[in-house]
Amino acid sequence: MELRHLRYFIAVAEEGGLLHAAERRLHTSQPSLSRQIRDLEMELGVKLLERKARGIELTAAGRVFLDHARLALMQIEVACEAARNTERPHKPGFGLGFLPGQEVTWLSGALRILREEAADVDVTITTKSSPELANALMQGEIDVALLRRETRTAGLDFKLLVKEPLVAVLPARHRLARHKAIRPEDICREDFISTARAAPVLKTVIDEYAAKVGIKLKQIFDAETLSGGMSLVASTGGFTLLPAYVQSALIPSVVARPLRGEVPTIDLVMGYNKSNTSPLLKKFLLRASELASGRSRDEDT
């Protein structure tokens, strides 16, 4: 098994088909990609994909393998960066943590503030789930993180950045996808993909929303990551509820639609360890409001 096999499999799973993955992501031929996937399945001894009339569908083994394949590639990237860092001269360090996909909105503003306060700072970017970011803050592995207001966070403090509305994420060919907005009574009839393992705070918000509007969600899977949740949506025909920021990172086979009525929201906060005495952290926190105001200006334009 080679790294390219993992990259090819992830591309096929995220694109929802061999042809789209070959043309859009991998710039190779579909027959060649099919051979690579067959080689991977032979190596593993299990079937990862089921070929359907409208594309491909992940098997149970494929869904499990997808999350581990993503993690393996991420660890390789971290290892490469760590090796490169050994050849660089030492600089003051500052660790930033983000929820997957939030870097698109917040990273440029955060880097601008850091460069203005300490031009020679060596910034490390970490992307993890909210519970993992909270743990990294408590362990002193990063200085600040954009995460959810986790409950088991001894020694941490939070600053509210924005309240994010939730949206319904559906397969692009789902019958509800043609609607401009989704009613609560519509989604309660559909299979629900939970993301409770990766996002317990999000689960609480969804549970409270369901109770408030008087619906019961029919959960069929609990995804280990938000991206895994989107992949399950594409492969099972179900739906999930996610913060609106994920719209910038949707895979092509799914779409996002707003909810009708009173829309549930989830807090995005800036978290830090109160025992962290970094002078740069103090300067960064003083300018935290600039991030939210900068985001608002971007949305207005």
Side-chain angles (χ1 to χ4, degrees), residues 85-110:
N85 285 340
T86 63
E87 299 296 322
R88 297 171 183 165
H90 178 71
K91 293 181 180 180
F94 192 87
L96 277 172
F98 294 93
L99 295 170
Q102 289 282 13
E103 314 95 309
V104 176
T105 303
W106 303 96
L107 180 56
S108 61

Side-chain angles (χ1 to χ4, degrees), residues 15-87:
E15 295 291 339
L18 290 162
L19 181 59
H20 286 166
E23 293 180 348
R24 296 177 184 176
R25 293 270 293 272
L26 303 173
H27 308 293
T28 187
S29 67
Q30 183 176 344
S32 174
L33 179 56
S34 296
R35 287 195 299 273
Q36 299 293 337
I37 296 299
R38 283 198 300 270
D39 289 345
L40 177 59
E41 290 177 325
M42 289 180 62
E43 176 74 19
L44 293 173
V46 295
K47 198 169 186 61
L48 300 174
L49 307 172
E50 293 285 355
R51 277 70 171 178
K52 303 289 184 179
R54 295 184 176 181
I56 63 96
E57 185 175 302
L58 292 176
T59 64
R63 289 192 293 270
V64 171
F65 187 70
L66 178 60
D67 285 338
H68 287 283
R70 287 184 174 128
L71 179 60
L73 288 184
M74 185 183 299
Q75 290 174 329
I76 290 294
E77 292 172 3
V78 170
C80 292
E81 184 61 22
R84 295 186 192 105
N85 285 340
T86 63
E87 299 296 322

Side-chain angles (χ1 to χ4, degrees), residues 109-120:
L111 290 178
R112 175 182 55 79
I113 293 173
L114 290 172
R115 299 305 183 198
E116 290 174 359
E117 295 294 342
D120 64 340

Side-chain angles (χ1 to χ4, degrees), residues 21-296:
E23 293 180 348
R24 296 177 184 176
R25 293 270 293 272
L26 303 173
H27 308 293
T28 187
S29 67
Q30 183 176 344
S32 174
L33 179 56
S34 296
R35 287 195 299 273
Q36 299 293 337
I37 296 299
R38 283 198 300 270
D39 289 345
L40 177 59
E41 290 177 325
M42 289 180 62
E43 176 74 19
L44 293 173
V46 295
K47 198 169 186 61
L48 300 174
L49 307 172
E50 293 285 355
R51 277 70 171 178
K52 303 289 184 179
R54 295 184 176 181
I56 63 96
E57 185 175 302
L58 292 176
T59 64
R63 289 192 293 270
V64 171
F65 187 70
L66 178 60
D67 285 338
H68 287 283
R70 287 184 174 128
L71 179 60
L73 288 184
M74 185 183 299
Q75 290 174 329
I76 290 294
E77 292 172 3
V78 170
C80 292
E81 184 61 22
R84 295 186 192 105
N85 285 340
T86 63
E87 299 296 322
R88 297 171 183 165
H90 178 71
K91 293 181 180 180
F94 192 87
L96 277 172
F98 294 93
L99 295 170
Q102 289 282 13
E103 314 95 309
V104 176
T105 303
W106 303 96
L107 180 56
S108 61
L111 290 178
R112 175 182 55 79
I113 293 173
L114 290 172
R115 299 305 183 198
E116 290 174 359
E117 295 294 342
D120 64 340
V121 66
D122 191 358
V123 181
T124 301
I125 311 298
T126 299
T127 302
K128 294 182 176 180
S129 69
S130 184
E132 290 172 327
L133 289 173
N135 186 63
L137 287 170
M138 288 187 287
Q139 298 296 324
E141 297 170 0
I142 55 178
D143 293 282
V144 70
L146 274 62
L147 71 167
R148 305 303 174 193
R149 203 181 295 272
E150 301 293 334
T151 54
R152 298 179 181 179
T153 52
L156 301 190
D157 206 352
F158 303 105
K159 288 178 176 286
L160 177 65
L161 288 177
V162 66
K163 289 183 174 290
E164 298 179 279
L166 300 192
V167 295
V169 177
L170 309 154
R173 294 192 177 101
H174 196 284
R175 61 181 182 82
L176 294 178
R178 67 177 183 271
H179 295 260
K180 292 183 179 179
I182 308 297
R183 302 178 303 172
E185 56 266 35
D186 291 330
I187 60 176
C188 71
R189 304 187 186 105
E190 306 298 323
D191 292 334
F192 176 62
I193 311 298
S194 173
T195 54
R197 298 186 192 182
V201 176
L202 176 60
K203 179 183 184 302
T204 299
V205 170
I206 292 173
D207 288 346
E208 291 174 350
Y209 169 68
K212 188 171 185 178
V213 298
I215 63 173
K216 185 174 182 179
L217 299 174
K218 299 190 319 184
Q219 180 178 327
I220 59 171
F221 288 109
D222 187 0
E224 294 188 0
T225 63
L226 296 189
S227 60
M230 284 192 281
S231 296
L232 282 170
V233 166
S235 61
T236 67
F239 82 100
T240 190
L241 295 174
L242 294 175
Y245 84 89
V246 302
Q247 294 174 100
S248 63
L250 292 178
I251 60 178
S253 52
V254 303
V255 296
R257 295 291 181 264
L259 297 169
R260 286 191 184 277
E262 187 175 346
V263 179
T265 62
I266 186 169
D267 291 351
L268 179 69
V269 298
M270 178 181 292
Y272 61 96
N273 195 317
K274 290 183 286 187
S275 66
N276 189 335
T277 59
S278 165
L280 182 54
L281 172 62
K282 293 180 180 179
K283 294 177 182 178
F284 188 82
L285 293 175
L286 288 173
R287 301 181 61 179
S289 60
E290 295 181 24
L291 289 178
S293 61
R295 177 182 185 270
S296 298

